[in-house]
Amino acid sequence: MIARRLNRDLAVWRPVTVDDGYGGQETTLVLQGEVRAKVDQPSASDRLLAQQAGAEHTHDVYLLPAANVERGDELRGDGQVLKVRSVVEPSSTRYRKAECYLVQKEGS
């Protein structure tokens, strides 16, 4: 039912830690694929709850239940980069919702 409301394609980038060859590690973002999504702004009460918890919440991203999106991922599309703070599912798994914040470039 939600599939018809998903009106954007977003690339999913996931942080992956690998050995740097010098005894340390480095983290890089690796493309995991694309997902269909609907991007909305959260309600004022949702934003207030996030602020009270010390988190930033600027966008809700609705996804198919099987979408491969995890906390810490970046969702990229239409010139935006959204950092995933958490992923939740309702009790009847018709969709997944990623609570995100918009990453703005310097000077924007």
Side-chain angles (χ1 to χ4, degrees):
M1 284 180 68
I2 192 170
R4 65 187 169 147
R5 295 193 171 131
L6 305 179
N7 56 6
R8 292 175 65 176
D9 288 317
L10 298 175
V12 179
W13 291 82
R14 184 161 297 146
V16 175
T17 303
V18 295
D19 291 332
D20 65 5
Y22 299 101
Q25 295 180 326
E26 61 183 33
T27 300
T28 185
L29 292 173
V30 176
L31 179 63
Q32 301 295 305
E34 286 193 347
V35 293
R36 293 289 295 164
K38 181 176 187 295
V39 179
D40 284 336
Q41 291 186 342
S43 68
S45 60
D46 285 345
R47 291 182 79 165
L48 180 62
L49 284 172
Q51 287 174 346
Q52 289 174 341
E56 190 174 358
H57 179 190
T58 64
H59 290 76
D60 287 327
V61 179
Y62 294 90
L63 308 154
L64 291 172
N68 182 18
V69 174
E70 300 175 357
R71 182 177 189 269
D73 287 352
E74 285 186 2
L75 304 176
R76 300 179 185 179
D78 295 335
Q80 292 182 317
V81 176
L82 299 162
K83 182 80 169 178
V84 178
R85 303 294 287 174
S86 66
V87 179
V88 296
E89 294 178 5
S91 58
S92 62
T93 55
R94 290 184 223 153
Y95 65 90
R96 297 179 85 196
K97 181 173 84 169
E99 296 177 351
C100 304
Y101 68 91
L102 179 65
V103 178
Q104 293 183 335
K105 295 180 183 176
E106 289 289 322
S108 296

